[in-house]
Amino acid sequence: MKKALIVFLCVLLTGCAPNSGTSAQSTGSQSTPQDSSVQSSDSSSQDSSSGAPDASQDSEEPPSQPDPSVTSGSTENQDQIIEELLSTMTVEEKVGQMFFVRCPDTGAVEAVSQYKLGGYILFGRDFKDKTAEQVRNDISSYQSASGVPLLIGTDEEGGTVVRASSNPNLFSHRGLSPQALFAEGGMDSIIQDARQKSVTLLGLGVNVNLAPVADVSTDPNDFIYDRSFGQDAQATAEYVSNVVKTMDAEGIGSVLKHFPGYGNNVDTHTGVAIDERPYETFQTSDYLPFTAGIQAGADAVLVSHNVMSCVDNQLPASLSPAVHNELRSTLGFQGVIMTDDLAMDAVATYAGDQSPAVMAVKAGNDMIITTDFQTQIPEVVQAVKSGEIDEAQIDQSVTRVLQWKYDLGLLGN
């Protein structure tokens, strides 16, 4: 029913038909992902300056300015499509859209329909030993089961965290870390890699890469160091800005992580991380790459489970209204805020008998990442129906999620 409504709204308002669930901006979908990487590499080598215009164009007529009426009309269409879609949703369907969950081992197709999920995150096991066609078919089956097209995400950071590129059937080589890429060819290599990676993932049907890592780390002993750019805040900000702009140009969703900045904290997968650094450190260092990414157009920000003592010494950042206020008010971010995986040990310590997902929604998250969605979704639904969570807040979050899907070309535009 929802899919039929999207088609109707699209034809009515824009005169087009919805795509099959991958971004309309993908340029590599007609070739194999491996071929797409090669093609992208060739085009990158011709323009290693990250898209700077040819100087020969200077003598030609200046580019025409966009027609404000066209932009206004497009925005009105977007708003109308989203408002109409939201108005048809039940509480269960709205809450489902707020869950960006780990793709289950079994019953993945059925779960999409049953829980009205907003998206699936694919891990190494979802790509292991598969051909590109098998991955595309898997994702197509998930999309076909969904009334509203799914976000399909993965963590393809490069280096120690690679999901898809660890399979040679899908990528020509395992993704290099940002530090290795920069050492190899500077920022040009970073940009070329981001372009190749984005095109290849889009060709598989993946429309969100949970990257780049915006954490500042210069100490090899830090837990997050190997996943970071490995340089100071200013250099990391430049790196983040370039990657976000490149991903946006290719039409794949970006996610800055791990707000408010990991620093030298321990791994929250296995325990509690108490960050006792002063607020000034965040202002002058950790916030800079996130601000740069937001200004570059980042779609989403992932919040860590670290306890940011200088702002809230009672709750991990992912469950803290005060930390979310930092992201909204201090950094001015208007996009989708999502949790890190709520299944981590660091969350269980603070949630106690409460539902972590309910706490996360009340803190201000628009999307919940979790493995245990079968339990967490009904708890959030019940919290809305009981009045513990205002449905107006749910509507606001789902609107942001649908706006992201619209921007990725998933709602027929």
Side-chain angles (χ1 to χ4, degrees), residues 63-76:
S64 60
Q65 297 300 313
D67 185 343
S69 64
V70 173
T71 303
S72 176
S74 175
T75 302
E76 289 173 4

Side-chain angles (χ1 to χ4, degrees), residues 214-217 222 224 232-234 236-237 240 256-265 275 277-293 306 308 331:
D215 301 288
V216 177
S217 176
D222 292 347
I224 204 67
D232 65 20
Q234 292 288 354
T236 302
V240 168
L256 306 179
K257 58 188 187 186
H258 308 78
F259 188 80
Y262 220 98
N264 59 356
N265 290 282
D275 192 334
R277 294 178 297 159
Y279 186 68
E280 183 182 8
T281 299
F282 291 93
Q283 287 181 305
T284 59
S285 181
D286 294 72
Y287 280 2
L288 299 187
F290 288 97
T291 299
N306 296 347
M308 187 184 184
L331 275 68

Side-chain angles (χ1 to χ4, degrees), residues 245-307:
K245 288 177 181 177
T246 302
M247 293 174 69
D248 182 62
E250 295 301 335
I252 194 167
S254 58
V255 181
L256 306 179
K257 58 188 187 186
H258 308 78
F259 188 80
Y262 220 98
N264 59 356
N265 290 282
V266 298
D267 183 3
T268 51
H269 290 80
T270 57
V272 177
I274 308 295
D275 192 334
E276 296 182 336
R277 294 178 297 159
Y279 186 68
E280 183 182 8
T281 299
F282 291 93
Q283 287 181 305
T284 59
S285 181
D286 294 72
Y287 280 2
L288 299 187
F290 288 97
T291 299
I294 290 167
Q295 292 175 347
D299 300 295
V301 175
L302 182 147
V303 182
S304 77
H305 300 316
N306 296 347
V307 177

Side-chain angles (χ1 to χ4, degrees), residues 37 267 406:
S37 292
D267 183 3
Y406 184 96

Side-chain angles (χ1 to χ4, degrees), residues 358-378:
V358 170
M359 294 178 69
V361 172
K362 292 168 73 173
N365 291 286
D366 302 304
M367 298 198 84
I368 309 300
I369 295 179
T370 186
T371 304
D372 186 22
F373 63 91
Q374 296 93 336
T375 299
Q376 299 293 335
I377 289 178

Side-chain angles (χ1 to χ4, degrees), residues 78-397:
Q78 173 182 345
D79 292 344
Q80 189 172 347
I81 287 173
I82 291 169
E83 288 172 10
E84 291 283 352
L85 187 54
L86 185 66
S87 70
T88 69
M89 289 183 174
T90 64
V91 170
E92 288 79 5
E93 289 170 326
K94 291 176 185 177
V95 171
Q97 283 298 302
M98 295 176 65
F99 278 75
F100 198 7
V101 306
R102 181 168 185 166
C103 187
D105 269 335
T106 59
V109 172
E110 294 77 10
V112 169
S113 178
Q114 180 179 354
Y115 292 98
K116 319 300 181 186
L117 299 171
Y120 269 150
I121 298 176
L122 308 183
F123 283 71
R125 71 185 186 199
D126 301 299
F127 297 106
K128 185 175 174 61
D129 299 327
K130 292 181 180 178
T131 65
E133 183 178 7
Q134 287 173 320
V135 173
R136 285 193 288 265
N137 287 341
D138 287 345
I139 292 174
S140 179
S141 69
Y142 309 150
Q143 294 288 16
S144 296
S146 180
V148 178
L150 297 162
L151 297 172
I152 301 292
T154 196
D155 298 277
E156 193 62 43
E157 299 172 6
T160 60
V161 180
V162 290
R163 312 301 190 195
S165 70
S166 59
N167 180 350
N169 295 327
L170 307 178
F171 277 70
S172 58
H173 62 274
R174 183 184 178 93
L176 297 178
S177 71
Q179 294 180 36
L181 287 166
F182 190 77
E184 182 182 84
M187 198 58 69
D188 287 346
S189 289
I190 295 284
I191 293 168
Q192 178 177 314
D193 177 76
R195 184 178 295 120
Q196 289 177 332
K197 193 182 315 185
S198 298
V199 170
T200 306
L201 288 173
L202 285 165
L204 293 170
V206 176
N207 49 49
V208 174
N209 184 10
L210 280 82
V213 171
D215 301 288
V216 177
S217 176
T218 58
D219 185 347
N221 294 317
D222 292 347
F223 161 73
I224 204 67
Y225 177 79
D226 288 339
R227 296 170 62 185
S228 75
F229 189 54
Q231 298 189 37
D232 65 20
Q234 292 288 354
T236 302
E238 181 186 2
Y239 156 72
V240 168
S241 179
N242 276 291
V243 171
V244 168
K245 288 177 181 177
T246 302
M247 293 174 69
D248 182 62
E250 295 301 335
I252 194 167
S254 58
V255 181
L256 306 179
K257 58 188 187 186
H258 308 78
F259 188 80
Y262 220 98
N264 59 356
N265 290 282
V266 298
D267 183 3
T268 51
H269 290 80
T270 57
V272 177
I274 308 295
D275 192 334
E276 296 182 336
R277 294 178 297 159
Y279 186 68
E280 183 182 8
T281 299
F282 291 93
Q283 287 181 305
T284 59
S285 181
D286 294 72
Y287 280 2
L288 299 187
F290 288 97
T291 299
I294 290 167
Q295 292 175 347
D299 300 295
V301 175
L302 182 147
V303 182
S304 77
H305 300 316
N306 296 347
V307 177
M308 187 184 184
S309 297
C310 60
V311 171
D312 184 348
N313 62 7
Q314 300 298 312
L315 292 169
S318 56
L319 304 181
S320 168
V323 173
H324 285 73
N325 186 60
E326 283 289 297
L327 187 49
R328 290 286 187 218
S329 300
T330 304
L331 275 68
F333 182 60
Q334 299 302 312
V336 171
I337 299 179
M338 63 180 69
T339 68
D340 207 342
D341 192 338
L342 291 186
M344 294 184 188
D345 290 346
V347 175
T349 302
Y350 285 87
D353 295 334
Q354 301 179 72
S355 163
V358 170
M359 294 178 69
V361 172
K362 292 168 73 173
N365 291 286
D366 302 304
M367 298 198 84
I368 309 300
I369 295 179
T370 186
T371 304
D372 186 22
F373 63 91
Q374 296 93 336
T375 299
Q376 299 293 335
I377 289 178
E379 290 179 345
V380 175
V381 169
Q382 180 56 37
V384 176
K385 291 185 174 180
S386 70
E388 182 180 356
I389 297 175
D390 190 337
E391 190 170 350
Q393 180 188 342
I394 299 295
D395 288 350
Q396 190 174 50
S397 289

Side-chain angles (χ1 to χ4, degrees), residues 28-87:
S29 58
Q30 297 304 313
S31 58
T32 65
Q34 203 164 13
D35 291 339
S36 298
S37 292
V38 174
Q39 292 167 0
S40 179
S41 176
D42 291 342
S43 65
S44 299
S45 64
Q46 295 170 9
D47 179 15
S48 60
S49 59
S50 70
D54 192 322
S56 66
Q57 295 177 358
D58 292 346
S59 61
E60 298 181 8
E61 294 183 13
S64 60
Q65 297 300 313
D67 185 343
S69 64
V70 173
T71 303
S72 176
S74 175
T75 302
E76 289 173 4
N77 285 349
Q78 173 182 345
D79 292 344
Q80 189 172 347
I81 287 173
I82 291 169
E83 288 172 10
E84 291 283 352
L85 187 54
L86 185 66
S87 70

